[in-house]
Amino acid sequence: MDTAVKSGNMGITNNAYMGESYATQLQYQQSLQQMNDQIIHEHPDVEFEPNIHDEHDDDAHQPEEEEEARDESETIPLDYIQKMEHYEEVKHKQPLDQEAPEPSKSGNSFSAKALARIELLKIVQKYGGGEAMFDSIETWATHWTDMHSDVFNTDNKAQKWPRKKTLEHVKEALNLNNLEPNIHTVELHDDRKVSVPVVDFPSSMRSILDDPIVIKHIMKGLDPDTFRPILSQDQLMKDPDAIILDKDSGYLYWDGIDLHCPDSTTCDETLVRPFPVIIHIDKSHSDLFGNLAVAPVQVMPAMLDVDIQQQVKAWRQIATIPNLSSGKGKDGKKTADALNKLKDYHKVLDVALSSFKETYEKGGFYWKDQKGRNVLLKPYVHCVVGDMAGVNEMVGHYNNCQANCLIKDCKCSQKTYLDFPCNCQPISWLELQE
């Protein structure tokens, strides 16, 4: 049958998918191609002719420019065709190096030396350490194992030396057991309780005097065997060539010795010596708002010279005053009665200085000097160092710019000082006790 069949369906324009994505256009064209292939397969003896439009069909009389524009809209972009060709090319490509490398080795392939250091890397990283910490630990471990191969050998858990056991051994070996603080609980006026750690005063001072470096820094104006000034007060005042040197040149040093120590007529000055101390109290902050503030109470022997007193080894912390405002508001600054606040502070300060006070009341403490002599030391306060706010608290004054009393020793107001003669009203000891 030679009848020509018009493939009217195949003459459908692609205007239906104009403006769609490239993937949609390609799918539509593939569908048209499948329809053509199916018709040809079902009618192999039929000759297909292109779609003939009716002479009255408006599409048949469209201008030539519109036909060209439609053909351009049906064309697949060149970039898309190039990409598809590239994908087809790579799909069948093979790398030149067709031999796979050996599989990765497990951790069992490391030596014991490497495994130990890898474990150290993990430990250092866990606690936020860096390269310097790792290298220091590695150098330390290598040094001691080279010197003593069995330094880390342990047959059982009892032979291990954790941090706590190491500190206990150091305390026993250096006889520092008495430097461990005792915790005292103090109840404040509003029923709050605070803890005050206090260190034994004699043990703290012995640890300073037993230091061979510190004991060499006795002031030049003192006799190292008696801790007393070489020149008397009269000799220093009448000598025109005398030089004012360190603390021993001041009259308070002689007055303190005369007040708290027996003279040479009643004792051997080499066996009974003055022991003046300098006390330093100052609040330190460890956070932005002061909630974690504490006030360390530090002590230094006053007979040490100015060079060593600037070093940490010349000082000992004998107590710590906690933040008494903690728990009284979000920022620890809730308004409180000023008088009760001072009473609380002095109650805690009394506990902080309790070991020093007990030692003084007992008559001092004994210490063996470099020559093996059993020396009785008579402690007393030479001076107190601190800022204005701390000193005001210690002498029972308010830290207030509107305080009535201007001087810590009397009740006189500013108006009283303008009067002449001034009628001064000294503060009594009973008032300070209140």
Side-chain angles (χ1 to χ4, degrees):
M1 182 177 180
D2 295 333
T3 305
V5 179
K6 295 182 179 181
S7 56
N9 291 335
M10 299 306 295
I12 299 176
T13 62
N14 292 341
N15 292 335
Y17 65 85
M18 290 176 61
E20 300 291 340
S21 64
Y22 294 141
T24 305
Q25 295 179 22
L26 181 62
Q27 183 179 4
Y28 187 80
Q29 290 182 354
Q30 290 176 348
S31 299
L32 293 179
Q33 184 65 36
Q34 290 176 359
M35 292 173 61
N36 280 333
D37 294 342
Q38 183 178 358
I39 293 174
I40 294 173
H41 178 73
E42 294 177 354
H43 305 280
D45 55 343
V46 178
E47 180 181 355
F48 290 90
E49 295 180 0
N51 185 27
I52 301 176
H53 298 282
D54 187 76
E55 60 181 358
H56 299 290
D57 190 0
D58 294 337
D59 294 337
H61 302 287
Q62 286 182 351
E64 184 177 352
E65 294 80 8
E66 294 182 6
E67 289 289 334
E68 292 176 358
R70 187 193 330 154
D71 293 338
E72 291 176 0
S73 66
E74 298 171 2
T75 304
I76 299 176
L78 179 62
D79 182 64
Y80 180 84
I81 296 175
Q82 291 176 346
K83 287 185 180 297
M84 295 300 296
E85 291 176 351
H86 177 69
Y87 295 156
E88 188 68 21
E89 178 185 355
V90 174
K91 181 168 62 174
H92 301 285
K93 216 175 211 183
Q94 293 183 359
L96 298 177
D97 186 7
Q98 298 184 0
E99 186 69 25
E102 294 294 328
S104 301
K105 297 181 180 180
S106 64
N108 295 330
S109 60
F110 289 113
S111 64
K113 186 176 182 179
L115 285 174
R117 285 158 176 80
I118 293 173
E119 187 68 22
L120 178 59
L121 278 174
K122 295 178 181 179
I123 296 173
V124 171
Q125 184 179 11
K126 178 180 178 181
Y127 296 102
E131 180 180 356
M133 179 184 291
F134 177 89
D135 293 343
S136 298
I137 296 175
E138 198 275 340
T139 302
W140 162 80
T142 303
H143 168 76
W144 282 101
T145 51
D146 290 343
M147 292 182 60
H148 306 279
S149 59
D150 60 343
V151 66
F152 295 116
N153 290 346
T154 55
D155 297 332
N156 51 58
K157 292 184 178 181
Q159 293 182 337
K160 291 185 178 180
W161 278 46
R163 179 179 181 273
K164 185 176 181 181
K165 184 176 180 179
T166 302
L167 293 177
E168 291 292 337
H169 178 79
V170 172
K171 287 194 297 183
E172 291 288 342
L174 300 180
N175 195 22
L176 301 177
N177 289 317
N178 292 331
L179 292 179
E180 185 174 354
N182 298 314
I183 306 302
H184 298 258
T185 302
V186 181
E187 185 173 347
L188 306 181
H189 76 280
D190 54 1
D191 298 330
R192 289 183 299 125
K193 294 181 180 180
V194 295
S195 298
V196 182
V198 179
V199 182
D200 183 62
F201 176 78
S203 300
S204 298
M205 296 302 100
R206 290 191 192 101
S207 68
I208 297 178
L209 298 175
D210 290 338
D211 190 327
I213 297 178
V214 175
I215 200 62
K216 293 180 181 179
H217 285 268
I218 300 295
M219 291 186 292
K220 294 180 180 180
L222 297 181
D223 182 355
D225 287 330
T226 64
F227 294 169
R228 288 173 171 84
I230 298 174
L231 296 177
S232 66
Q233 191 171 4
D234 291 337
Q235 289 174 327
L236 186 64
M237 292 179 64
K238 294 178 181 180
D239 185 1
D241 298 326
I243 300 176
I244 304 300
L245 294 174
D246 215 321
K247 298 177 287 293
D248 58 296
S249 302
Y251 74 94
L252 286 178
Y253 205 91
W254 282 292
D255 288 353
I257 294 174
D258 293 339
L259 184 62
H260 299 285
C261 292
D263 56 25
S264 58
T265 60
T266 59
C267 69
D268 184 351
E269 292 185 346
T270 60
L271 300 179
V272 181
R273 307 181 192 180
F275 192 74
V277 297
I278 298 175
I279 298 179
H280 174 263
I281 302 177
D282 191 14
K283 184 179 292 185
S284 62
H285 297 273
S286 57
D287 70 332
L288 183 61
F289 302 104
N291 287 335
L292 301 180
V294 295
V297 181
Q298 300 170 318
V299 175
M300 185 200 78
M303 64 272 193
L304 299 180
D305 62 26
V306 68
D307 294 328
I308 196 65
Q309 74 181 26
Q310 301 176 15
Q311 300 183 27
V312 176
K313 63 180 64 178
W315 293 83
R316 291 294 183 271
Q317 183 170 332
I318 63 170
T320 302
I321 299 177
N323 182 15
L324 303 184
S325 298
S326 181
K328 301 186 69 176
K330 291 184 178 180
D331 57 356
K333 298 180 180 179
K334 184 178 179 181
T335 303
D337 181 73
L339 180 59
N340 287 328
K341 184 177 179 181
L342 277 177
K343 287 183 177 180
D344 288 342
Y345 178 81
H346 278 264
K347 193 174 183 179
V348 173
L349 183 62
D350 185 59
V351 174
L353 299 176
S354 59
S355 181
F356 170 80
K357 183 180 178 181
E358 291 173 3
T359 304
Y360 177 83
E361 296 294 340
K362 290 178 180 179
F365 65 96
Y366 284 96
W367 164 69
K368 286 190 179 295
D369 64 1
Q370 290 75 17
K371 298 179 180 180
R373 293 174 295 195
N374 195 35
V375 179
L376 174 61
L377 300 178
K378 308 288 286 188
Y380 62 92
V381 178
H382 177 68
C383 66
V384 179
V385 182
D387 57 10
M388 184 57 68
V391 172
N392 283 341
E393 288 181 328
M394 281 186 281
V395 299
H397 272 211
Y398 302 143
N399 282 311
N400 193 327
C401 60
Q402 300 177 354
N404 294 326
C405 302
L406 300 182
I407 300 178
K408 63 182 179 62
D409 298 323
C410 65
K411 304 178 184 177
C412 299
S413 64
Q414 182 177 2
K415 182 179 179 181
T416 306
Y417 289 119
L418 298 177
D419 297 335
F420 184 82
C422 179
N423 185 17
C424 184
Q425 300 178 14
I427 295 178
S428 66
W429 176 251
L430 292 177
E431 290 172 331
L432 289 177
Q433 292 297 312
E434 293 177 0

